[in-house]
Amino acid sequence: MRDRLRLAPGLPEARNTPGTGDDARPVAPATGVTWDLSDLFDGPGDPRIAVALDSIDEDAKGFAARFRGTIHVAGGPPAAWFREGIESLEAIHERQWRIGGYAHLNYDQDTRDVVARDLSQRVEERLTAARNELLFFDLEWMEVADEDAATLVADPELSAYRHFLEAQRLFRPHRLSEAEERLANEKDITGNSAWARLHTETTSALEFDVDRDGATERLNLSRVLAMLHDPDRTVRRSGHDALYATLARSGPVLTYTYDTLVQDKRTMDRLRGHPDPMASRHLGNEIPSAAVESMMQAVEGAYPVAQAYFRLKARLLGLPELMVYDQYAPLEQRQVAVPWSDARTLVEESYAAIDPAFGDVAREVFARNWVDAEPRDGKRGGAYCSYPTPKLHPWILCNYMGTPRDVMTVAHEMGHALHAMLGRRQTPFNYHSTLPLAETASVFGEMVVFDRLLARETDPRARLGLLAGKIEDAFATVFRQNVLTRFEQSAFAARAEGRLTGDRLGDLWTAANRAYYGDAVRLTDGYRWGWSYIPHFIHTPFYCYAYVFGQLLVMSLYRTYKETGGAFVPKFLDLLAAGGSGTPDTLLRPLGVDITHPSFWAKGLAEIEALVAQATDLAEALGDA
Ligand SMILES: [Zn+2]
C-alpha cells in the first residue's frame, strides 16, 4: 500500500490509472506550495535527530529489560502491569514514528538528496532492529492461555485496549510452534519471497517494442500501460499489442512463478488450519467472510450497469464496438486548468458544507502548510497523506498540475487528514483504521468535492468528461477489483486439481472478465495474459476486495448522507473519531450499516448506476449517444 511507515493505507493502485494523457492539457502547477516539517525537526542538521536515533535502541533495550518474561506468566500478568507495558510500548512507538516520519517525509520531498537518503536508511535499519527487540511483547501476549486472556480483555483497567488485544489474538489458533515459525520464516527467504522477487524482477525488466510513426520504440511496463489511455486508437492498439506480445513471451516464467506461490500459500494455509485461501486476509481485515461474499455477489449483480456504460462509451467514441483497449480512452480532451488557490477554496468549502468542523480542519491543513503540492524534480510522484501518531498532525504530499483529477486527489488526501485529526483522541494503537475503513473519509470527501466541481461546470461536454472520469474510477475500484478477486478464487480452486498452466489461467482470467464485460467489450486473444503482471496476486493475495469494500461502503454512506443530511453527520463524525478502536462491523453499526446484508451493498451500487444514468442523459441531450 502507501507505505510501511504508517502512511494512510490507501487505494492508490486502484485509483491511479497510469498516465491519463495529461500531456496536451493546460496546466496550473501549485508552484511554491511546500510543507513545513519544523514541527518534527528543524532540518537534517538538527542535533535532536542524533539524540532521537540513539534513543531508538535505548528505548527498546530498556523496555525489554523491564517487561520480558512478565507477560506470559501463569494466570496472565496483573492487568495494571500489562497496561503499563502497553502504554510504555505506545510511547516508544510514538517517538519512533516521529523520527521515522521525518526521515520519510524529508526524503520524499527530494529523493535525489544524498543526506536525506542516508538518514532514511539509517532510521529504517535502527527501527527494524528495535522492532525485533520489542517483538517479544506481542508474542508473550499470544502465549497467554485463552481463559486468562479473556479475563484480561474484560478487565476495566484494559478497556481502552480491548479491540487492540482481541485483534492480536485472532491469529493465535493459526500459529505454528516457535521452531516451526522460525523455520518457515527462514525458508521463506529462498521460498515464496524469492519467487515474488523473481516476479518483480521479471516484470520490471520487461521491454515492449512499440511501432510509432514507422520507427520501433522500446518502452517499460508503465509507459506501455499509459498508451492504453491515449486518445488515439492506433496508439492504444499498438500499446495493447506490444503489452500482451511481451507478456506471452514471458508467459512460462510468470505462470510457473504464480503457480508456485499459489501452491505455497495452500500449503501454509493447510498447516495453519485456515479453512479457505481468503480466510487469513479476512482475519487481518476483521471482516466476516459472509460479508465479503455478499458484497461480491451484489457487485456481480450490477455488472449490467457497467456493460450499459461501455455501450454508451462505444457510441460516444463513434466505434461499432468497444475493444478491450478502448475502455480507458479519454472522452473529453478540453479541460480548463484549475489554479491551486481555486482548488483549495473548493476543498475547504466542500468540507465545510458537510460540517463546519470539517471545514475548520481543511482550512487548518492548508493554512499551517501541512501540504506539499508543488511538482518538482526529484520529488516523489503520486500522492499520500501521512499521519504517524495522534500527537502529531497529518502531512499531505501530492503533485498538483491543475487537472480536475488533481483536484480530486487533493480532496481525497484531505479526507485522510480529516480522519487523522478527528481520531487524535485515540491512543497510538487505536489510532489507525483497519484497511476496509481506512478510505472512508477520503472517498467521501472526494464525492462531495466532485459534486461541487460538477455543479459549477457549465460546459456540457466538460461535464460529460468529468462524469466519465468519476464513473471509470469507480469501475476500476469496484468492478475490476471484484473480477480480480474472483480470478484469484478460481486459480486457488483450480490448483487443488493440479498444476496451473498458462492455458488454464488464461481460461480462468477470461471467464472472470467475461462475466464483467459481457458482450459490451470485445476481449482479445492477447488479453488472456492480463493476470500475469498484477503485483497484488504475487505479493498480497486477496488484497483487492478491500478496495471494493472501501469504495462501496462510502458510496452507500454518501447516499444516506444525501437522503438524511444533518442527522447523518454526527454519526459519521463519531465513526471517523473512533479511528481504529473497533472492528469495522462494530464501528459501522451505529450508522445503521449491516455489512452482511446484500441491500447495504446495493445502495452503494445504486450510486454508481445513478452516475451512469446521469452521463447517459447528458450524452443524449448533446445528441452524441
Ligand atoms: Zn486513500
Side-chain angles (χ1 to χ4, degrees):
M1 289 286 12
R2 301 231 154 158
D3 205 84
R4 289 142 286 157
L5 255 171
R6 291 280 182 160
L7 298 173
L11 306 179
E13 293 96 309
R15 294 184 70 242
N16 288 357
T17 37
T20 17
D22 293 322
D23 333 59
R25 292 174 185 172
V27 290
T31 310
V33 181
T34 56
W35 57 27
D36 174 8
L37 300 181
S38 64
D39 288 351
L40 291 165
F41 294 98
D42 289 336
D46 189 331
R48 289 178 299 166
I49 290 181
V51 177
L53 275 175
D54 288 340
S55 79
I56 292 178
D57 309 332
E58 284 163 29
D59 275 355
K61 291 209 169 76
F63 180 83
R66 211 165 151 226
F67 289 98
R68 193 187 285 277
T70 68
I71 305 304
H72 178 219
V73 290
W81 176 252
F82 191 32
R83 180 176 163 162
E84 204 176 319
I86 298 170
E87 285 172 351
S88 310
L89 198 57
E90 282 191 313
I92 290 175
H93 277 107
E94 190 104 54
R95 290 194 286 278
Q96 290 185 351
W97 290 339
R98 178 178 287 262
I99 176 74
Y102 178 73
H104 186 88
L105 297 171
N106 183 50
Y107 172 66
D108 282 354
Q109 61 186 5
D110 186 359
T111 57
R112 300 166 308 182
D113 183 341
V114 187
V115 180
R117 190 182 312 162
D118 180 54
L119 175 65
S120 123
Q121 269 170 17
R122 268 189 302 150
V123 170
E124 198 171 322
E125 283 160 21
R126 296 280 188 98
L127 289 179
T128 308
R131 208 171 295 135
N132 286 336
E133 193 82 46
L134 298 170
L135 207 61
F136 77 90
F137 194 81
D138 295 1
L139 295 177
E140 286 198 30
W141 165 234
M142 294 266 268
E143 291 295 331
V144 172
D146 280 339
E147 216 180 88
D148 303 330
T151 313
L152 275 169
V153 165
D155 195 302
E157 186 83 39
L158 289 158
S159 62
Y161 297 102
R162 199 179 180 139
H163 168 250
F164 171 72
L165 294 172
E166 282 175 343
Q168 279 193 321
R169 286 182 66 95
L170 286 177
F171 287 89
R172 187 174 195 262
H174 307 288
R175 225 175 8 147
L176 307 174
S177 73
E178 197 185 333
E180 288 167 331
E181 290 286 359
R182 194 172 297 204
L183 182 66
N185 277 340
E186 294 210 22
K187 293 295 284 179
D188 276 353
I189 299 170
T190 45
N192 62 8
S193 312
W195 287 104
R197 271 198 309 280
L198 174 65
H199 188 274
T200 307
E201 284 172 19
T202 307
T203 47
S204 47
L206 290 177
E207 289 180 326
F208 304 84
D209 287 334
V210 176
D211 288 329
R212 269 207 198 171
D213 308 323
T216 302
E217 218 183 317
R218 187 156 282 188
L219 303 180
N220 65 15
L221 180 59
S222 66
R223 287 191 61 204
V224 84
L225 286 173
M227 289 176 73
L228 301 175
H229 296 257
D230 199 279
D232 182 345
R233 195 179 202 204
T234 325
V235 174
R236 294 197 300 272
R237 187 165 47 209
S238 49
H240 165 279
D241 291 350
L243 173 65
Y244 293 110
T246 300
L247 288 173
R249 270 198 301 278
S250 301
V253 66
L254 295 174
T255 304
Y256 194 90
T257 306
Y258 187 50
D259 175 71
T260 306
L261 284 167
V262 169
Q263 184 53 21
D264 182 82
K265 177 165 163 48
R266 282 172 39 81
T267 304
M268 288 314 288
D269 280 347
R270 174 173 53 78
L271 295 172
R272 291 187 184 282
H274 288 300
D276 72 78
M278 292 173 89
S280 57
R281 182 67 60 197
H282 297 330
L283 284 184
N285 287 340
E286 300 180 51
I287 296 189
S289 70
V292 177
E293 185 52 35
S294 153
M295 173 186 85
M296 291 182 68
Q297 283 180 17
V299 173
E300 279 153 347
Y303 282 168
V305 174
Q307 292 157 15
Y309 175 76
F310 288 131
R311 286 190 200 98
L312 171 71
K313 184 158 185 173
R315 293 197 295 279
L316 292 173
L317 293 170
L319 298 171
E321 68 179 336
L322 204 67
M323 296 297 294
V324 72
Y325 49 76
D326 295 320
Q327 63 173 324
Y328 302 124
L331 273 186
E332 178 53 48
Q333 288 310 294
R334 288 170 308 161
Q335 285 183 334
V336 183
V338 184
W340 171 255
S341 58
D342 197 7
R344 176 176 164 168
T345 312
L346 182 71
V347 169
E348 285 173 355
E349 286 176 1
S350 305
Y351 275 84
I354 313 172
D355 191 272
F358 289 15
D360 290 345
V361 170
R363 270 190 296 275
E364 186 177 8
V365 169
F366 287 125
R368 298 185 62 183
N369 300 325
W370 296 342
V371 184
D372 193 319
E374 177 184 74
R376 290 187 301 275
D377 286 345
K379 179 176 162 179
R380 177 182 157 149
Y384 64 72
C385 176
S386 168
Y387 43 108
T389 103
K391 289 226 178 95
L392 291 165
H393 57 76
W395 282 272
I396 291 175
L397 177 143
C398 61
N399 289 271
Y400 188 87
M401 294 295 286
T403 66
R405 197 184 177 83
D406 291 338
V407 179
M408 301 310 293
T409 301
V410 177
H412 179 98
E413 302 308 336
M414 185 56 76
H416 286 302
L418 173 73
H419 207 157
M421 291 295 279
L422 293 177
R424 286 207 293 183
R425 64 164 196 220
Q426 299 296 335
T427 75
F429 289 162
N430 288 318
Y431 184 47
H432 295 97
S433 309
T434 51
L435 181 66
L437 289 186
E439 297 298 328
T440 310
S442 55
V443 178
F444 196 93
E446 243 186 284
M447 302 287 291
V448 178
V449 172
F450 173 76
D451 274 353
R452 287 210 158 214
L453 201 57
L454 187 67
R456 70 176 207 176
E457 180 59 69
T458 48
D459 177 28
R461 287 193 193 279
R463 282 173 65 82
L464 187 56
L466 280 175
L467 275 167
K470 186 80 195 155
I471 290 166
E472 291 174 19
D473 272 355
F475 281 17
T477 318
V478 175
F479 293 126
R480 180 165 158 87
Q481 305 302 319
N482 206 66
V483 168
L484 298 188
T485 308
R486 283 292 187 223
F487 166 77
E488 278 186 293
Q489 286 179 317
S490 66
F492 275 84
R495 189 59 183 84
E497 285 146 30
R499 255 184 70 181
L500 298 168
T501 61
D503 248 5
R504 185 86 176 101
L505 287 166
D507 287 346
L508 299 173
W509 177 252
T510 305
N513 278 277
R514 174 63 58 219
Y516 168 37
Y517 292 118
D519 59 4
V521 178
R522 168 106 71 103
L523 306 180
T524 58
D525 250 9
Y527 192 69
R528 292 173 57 82
W529 290 101
W531 57 271
S532 65
Y533 65 95
I534 300 194
H536 295 75
F537 294 165
I538 301 302
H539 302 282
T540 45
F542 296 106
Y543 191 98
C544 297
Y545 80 76
Y547 292 127
V548 188
F549 189 102
Q551 179 81 25
L552 279 184
L553 166 69
V554 175
M555 290 194 128
S556 179
L557 291 178
Y558 188 64
R559 210 172 169 85
T560 308
Y561 165 63
K562 284 199 292 192
E563 284 162 9
T564 59
F568 168 84
V569 174
K571 292 183 203 157
F572 188 56
L573 205 146
D574 286 346
L575 170 70
L576 300 181
S581 60
T583 64
D585 198 32
T586 43
L587 294 181
L588 288 167
R589 287 274 164 188
L591 288 117
V593 169
D594 180 357
I595 56 172
T596 58
H597 206 282
S599 69
F600 172 70
W601 303 109
K603 207 167 175 183
L605 289 158
E607 193 65 28
I608 297 182
E609 194 171 2
L611 285 169
V612 173
Q614 223 179 326
T616 311
D617 290 348
L618 194 52
E620 273 165 11
L622 281 166
D624 290 351

